[in-house]
Amino acid sequence: IYSHRMSVVEPVFGNIGTTKRLNRFGLRGKKKVQGQWQLYCLIHNIEKLANYGRLGT
């Protein structure tokens, strides 16, 4: 079970929490927090796309 955890969602939260330093939201209100979270997820996905081709070289 523990080895399967790395292929699920937890590394995404770890990456956003540590490397992007999102330990709390800077905005108030549910819609604003959702927007901020979506921006962090968008950045995470763009970085994944940018680094995708580097693994094979």
Side-chain angles (χ1 to χ4, degrees):
I1 293 173
Y2 183 77
S3 63
H4 181 63
R5 291 172 65 190
M6 295 306 288
S7 65
V8 191
V9 181
E10 290 184 14
V12 174
F13 291 112
N15 183 9
I16 290 174
T18 57
T19 60
K20 305 210 177 24
R21 298 184 184 125
L22 179 69
N23 53 1
R24 64 178 67 176
F25 293 100
L27 302 172
R28 297 177 125 193
K30 188 175 181 180
K31 286 187 178 184
K32 292 180 183 178
V33 168
Q34 284 177 343
Q36 187 177 3
W37 176 250
Q38 287 175 348
L39 283 174
Y40 274 97
C41 291
L42 178 69
I43 291 169
H44 176 78
N45 288 329
I46 289 172
E47 287 177 347
K48 282 174 58 175
L49 288 172
N51 294 327
Y52 180 71
R54 295 184 189 173
L55 295 176
T57 60

